[in-house]
Structure formats: C-alpha cells, structure tokens
Amino acid sequence: MNKDFRLAFDILDKVFRESAYSNLLLTEVLDKADNSALLTKLVYGTLEKNITLEYYISELCKNKPNIKIRTILKLGLFMLKFMDSIPSHAIVNEMVNLTAYIKKPELAGFVNATLKTAITKEFSIPKDEKLALSIKYSIPLWLFKCLIKQYKKDIAIEIMQTKSFEFEHIRANSKKITDNELQKWLKTLDIEYEKSVYGGYFIKNNKKVRELFDGGIITYQSPSSMLVCKACDVKNNYKVLDMCSSPGGKSVYFGELANNLAITACDIYPNRVEKIKEYAKRMGAKNINAIVMDGTVFNKNFDKAFDFVLCDSPCSGFGVARKKPDIYLNKSYDDIVALSEIQYKLLNNAIDYTKTGGHIVYSTCTILREENYNIIGRILKERQDVKLEKMPISIENEGFIQLLPNNDGVDGFFIARLIKC
C-alpha cells in the first residue's frame, strides 16, 4: 500500500469524522511521508474539492456510502479528476487496498466499480446557476449566495477562484536576528525566498525552515496578520490588551514593534493560554502576561485600564479558507449570526477597557459583512464614545479596510481602528 495515500486517508478520516484540523494533523506526520508535497496536495486538494466530490459521489451511488468509504472515494476521485501525475489503474488499486486497511474488504468490489465508472464519466451540471457554480468551485451554496449579495457575482467568483498558495510567509524575530542576517542564513541553507512588501518572506516550507522556527529565529505570520499589527501602531510604554490572543503571534510582534510594552494576552481556554506562553518563550518575548479570560464577560479590573486594545475576534475564518479548506465543513449561516453576537460583545468590552484617548483595533480573518462592517456600524450607531480613526498603513483607508483573498499570498482580513473619545 502506498504510504502517502494511507497517511492522507488517516488525516481526512479524522477531519471528516472528528472535525480535527487538517493543518495540525499534516504537521504531525509530514516528516514521515515518502513525498511530503504529494501528501499535502492529497489532503488539501480533497478538502478543497469536498463539495464537488460529494456531488460526484451522489451521481455515482444510489445510496450514500458510509463515511469511511466516502472518504476513500473522495480521495480516489480527487486524484482521478484533478491530478494527472498518477495512472488511473494505480489510483483505483490503491483505493481498493484501503478497504482492507479499514477492515472493510467486502466493499472492495464496490469501490473498484465506482471509481472505474468515474474514470470516463462526464458528470452532469445542475441547471440552477448558483448551485452549478457552488459545485464547480466547491463552496457551500449558502456562502456563495452571501458573497453574491455582498460583493456581486463577478467578485464572488474571483474570491472562489483564489487558488491554494504553496508558499508560507515568515518574518524574522527581530530580538534574535536582523532581516539582512536572515537573508544570509536562508541563502546558506539553500532556502529560496521572495521578500514581501509586508516585511516578511515567502518561502516553501521544509524541515530547515521548521528548524529555524523551532529555534525562534523566524516565525510564521501571514501578510494580513502583520498588517493588523502595523495598523495597531502601538507606541513605547503602552499598556496593551490582546483580548483573543492565542496562539500569541500578534502580541509577540507588538513587543518587537515598540519598547517597554506591558502586554496582557488573553484567551478563554487554559490550553490556548499555554500556547501563548509557549509562543512567547520560543520567541524570547518576556513582556507578555498570558491569562485565562472570557472576553465576552466584562472584567471590572480592566475598566479604562489600557492605552491600546486589540480585538482580533474569533470568526468564521472564510478569509483563510484556501489555507484551511476544512473551514467550509460544518458551518451554516446560523453559525455566522451566532458569531456576530460574540464579536459584538467582545468589541464593546474592548472599548470599555480602553482609556479615553486610547485606541482599539477590531480585526477578523473573514470576508462576510455580518462579522465585519455590520459589527463596526452597529457599535458606531450605538456608542458616542468612539469614532473611526485612519490607520497608518500603506493601504489608503478611512479607518477600515476589507482585504479579499488573492493569488499573491494575501488572506481575506477585515481591519478597523477606533479612537476612544
């Protein structure tokens, strides 16, 4: 049995059955793969095409197969229909072998026949245009309808057409190394890189890069995430609150952008607070106090206590879906509505925790108005003690921007800056 096919199945099985995170599972086993690039493509490709593959299975099977067999079929169909580097007969044989691996050898004939039929089958296209586009671009129909309503059809399709980005974005840990020193190091290690306009580098991830990460020489941080930190524009000696901090990347970066900060980094879950502490330790950041706190519940000890508050709110994550394609699984519009209420509570508290004359940045890694513009609009309508403030970043703005995911490595992010009056 092909080892990489088996590892891909194991990851996908946990994602589909247990709602596990594909990126974390991949990181755990990547060094065990015979071909790490192939394994990554199999996992992310199958997840990215999940809705399309579900449709193919519905066309091929009268009755819905059980979840493990469905996962085998999805993996096989992805390779048959979206890859041309592996012979069809080899794909079918390996998927049949997986039925023995999951102790379902009696279904080997079904998997064999289904995939052989799929090799030459031309799948029908639904007459409904929105449904057809949802299947073509493998995005939930309800989400596509929201995007059309909010951005119009052409832009919605552009968003859906955004491809997976094969490069990671890293930045130097300025406490340990300068940019020039890092560039020399990357060249010495024969790691190809491209400098980004955001102050970091696009690289292909490999063991050498991960070793630099483990040593705290570099960290992974997306261009959009770095832009959030720059929009915050923290100043020397500020008292800073990062309300939804885990894993702690933005708090750590604050400590590199300004001196003598006193940073309080919070999260609701103890295990996530431990991640903040681990991140800070790896990067040599000693000015971060990580604590457990539910940001939706007002903390009277924080009332008007901070010069700056970052409310990087939990969100649907649709702006980073190309990196985490399992984000599309198991989410509905009702989830977005529920999230928006949490985001509203978080931002209200963030404002209350800010001194008069202090600043607040609200950010999400998503692209839906319900989580972005609508939250800010509601706050500005209801509260007279805040107003939008222009952000000191290279992108022209009047206090807020909506970044859409594109093929140049930028994730979908919303960033808004407020001043407490």
Side-chain angles (χ1 to χ4, degrees):
M1 182 187 300
N2 183 293
K3 184 180 181 181
D4 295 329
F5 291 178
R6 176 178 58 77
L7 289 172
F9 170 81
D10 286 340
I11 292 171
L12 292 167
D13 180 49
K14 288 181 180 178
V15 171
F16 288 130
R17 288 196 305 111
E18 302 172 15
S19 299
Y21 295 111
S22 58
N23 60 324
L24 299 181
L25 295 174
L26 254 178
T27 300
E28 290 174 4
V29 303
L30 210 53
D31 291 336
K32 300 176 184 177
D34 290 334
N35 185 333
S36 59
L38 173 62
L39 175 59
T40 302
K41 185 170 185 177
L42 292 177
V43 172
Y44 284 162
T46 302
L47 290 171
E48 284 171 359
K49 296 294 183 183
N50 180 60
I51 291 173
T52 307
L53 298 173
E54 286 274 10
Y55 176 73
Y56 288 172
I57 291 172
S58 72
E59 290 274 290
L60 289 164
C61 306
K62 291 182 179 179
N63 299 310
K64 195 173 187 177
N66 72 55
I67 191 166
K68 283 182 175 282
I69 293 297
R70 240 176 20 254
T71 299
I72 291 174
L73 291 177
K74 287 178 185 178
L75 183 58
L77 285 167
F78 171 71
M79 288 186 279
L80 288 172
K81 294 299 183 182
F82 300 101
M83 293 178 65
D84 55 14
S85 57
I86 306 171
S88 296
H89 67 87
I91 295 170
V92 175
N93 288 341
E94 289 292 344
M95 296 304 101
V96 168
N97 289 339
L98 281 174
T99 63
Y101 174 65
I102 65 169
K103 297 181 173 55
K104 292 287 183 181
E106 69 275 12
L107 293 174
F110 169 75
V111 169
N112 182 66
T114 302
L115 292 178
K116 281 186 174 178
T117 300
I119 292 172
T120 56
K121 182 175 176 61
E122 294 292 329
F123 291 94
S124 62
I125 301 173
K127 292 181 180 179
D128 181 273
E129 182 188 27
K130 291 177 183 176
L131 179 58
L133 289 170
S134 166
I135 292 167
K136 178 180 179 180
Y137 294 112
S138 200
I139 187 171
L141 180 59
W142 71 265
L143 178 57
F144 183 35
K145 289 179 177 179
C146 283
L147 294 177
I148 290 176
K149 183 178 179 181
Q150 296 178 17
Y151 293 103
K152 305 304 181 185
K153 180 179 165 183
D154 290 347
I155 296 177
I157 290 175
E158 282 183 22
I159 293 170
M160 293 191 300
Q161 286 178 325
T162 305
K163 297 176 182 177
S164 294
F165 198 67
E166 61 179 340
F167 297 95
E168 292 279 3
H169 191 263
I170 63 169
R171 66 170 183 83
N173 179 359
S174 62
K175 291 183 180 295
K176 296 185 178 183
I177 194 170
T178 66
D179 275 334
N180 286 338
E181 288 169 339
L182 177 58
Q183 289 177 39
K184 291 177 183 177
W185 208 330
L186 293 175
K187 289 175 182 176
T188 300
L189 294 172
D190 199 27
I191 298 171
E192 294 185 12
Y193 68 89
E194 181 180 337
K195 201 165 182 9
S196 78
V197 297
Y198 300 91
Y201 305 86
F202 290 112
I203 53 93
K204 283 194 175 181
N205 204 9
N206 58 39
K207 188 175 182 180
K208 292 177 183 177
V209 175
R210 290 194 292 277
E211 287 173 352
L212 291 176
F213 172 84
D214 292 338
I217 304 301
I218 59 104
T219 195
Y220 301 103
Q221 189 163 17
S222 74
S224 300
S225 175
M226 290 182 69
L227 193 65
V228 170
C229 294
K230 290 175 180 178
C232 293
D233 193 32
V234 291
K235 303 296 185 184
N236 294 344
N237 303 310
Y238 264 15
K239 190 175 180 182
V240 174
L241 175 64
D242 186 354
M243 286 183 64
C244 310
S245 181
S246 185
K250 296 182 181 69
S251 280
V252 167
Y253 194 27
F254 288 153
E256 296 176 50
L257 293 173
N259 297 319
N260 302 317
L261 298 180
I263 303 171
T264 302
C266 309
D267 200 274
I268 189 172
Y269 300 112
N271 63 318
R272 291 175 66 85
V273 171
E274 289 305 310
K275 289 185 182 298
I276 300 171
K277 293 177 181 178
E278 291 167 8
Y279 198 128
K281 182 179 179 181
R282 180 178 61 80
M283 297 289 283
K286 298 179 180 179
N287 57 342
I288 297 174
N289 178 33
I291 64 170
V292 176
M293 187 182 82
D294 182 349
T296 64
V297 179
F298 182 71
N299 182 343
K300 64 181 181 180
N301 295 322
F302 285 1
D303 189 29
K304 301 181 181 65
F306 296 92
D307 301 291
F308 175 82
V309 178
L310 171 62
C311 182
D312 186 46
S313 181
C315 66
S316 61
F318 291 139
V320 295
R322 63 177 173 177
K323 292 180 179 176
K324 301 176 182 178
D326 36 336
I327 279 173
Y328 287 142
L329 305 177
N330 309 316
K331 275 193 173 71
S332 68
Y333 186 74
D334 288 343
D335 296 324
I336 306 306
V337 173
L339 266 173
S340 68
E341 286 304 309
I342 293 171
Q343 292 156 347
Y344 171 74
K345 289 178 182 177
L346 286 167
L347 183 52
N348 259 313
N349 284 339
I351 295 167
D352 290 336
Y353 297 154
T354 307
K355 299 175 181 177
T356 300
H359 314 272
I360 307 100
V361 163
Y362 174 80
S363 62
T364 71
C365 57
T366 194
I367 53 180
L368 294 179
R369 293 186 67 95
E370 288 84 348
E371 303 178 75
N372 295 333
Y373 293 106
N374 292 3
I375 301 296
I376 294 296
R378 182 178 174 187
I379 288 288
L380 292 174
K381 183 177 180 180
E382 294 178 357
R383 300 190 63 143
Q384 305 303 310
D385 58 346
V386 286
K387 61 181 180 180
L388 286 168
E389 180 181 38
K390 188 171 183 177
M391 296 180 285
I393 56 176
S394 58
I395 301 172
E396 186 60 36
N397 69 90
E398 295 301 325
F400 62 91
I401 56 170
Q402 175 68 69
L403 300 174
L404 298 179
N406 64 36
N407 292 321
D408 294 323
V410 173
D411 295 324
F413 259 71
F414 178 83
I415 312 170
R417 181 179 168 100
L418 302 168
I419 184 169
K420 182 84 171 281
C421 304

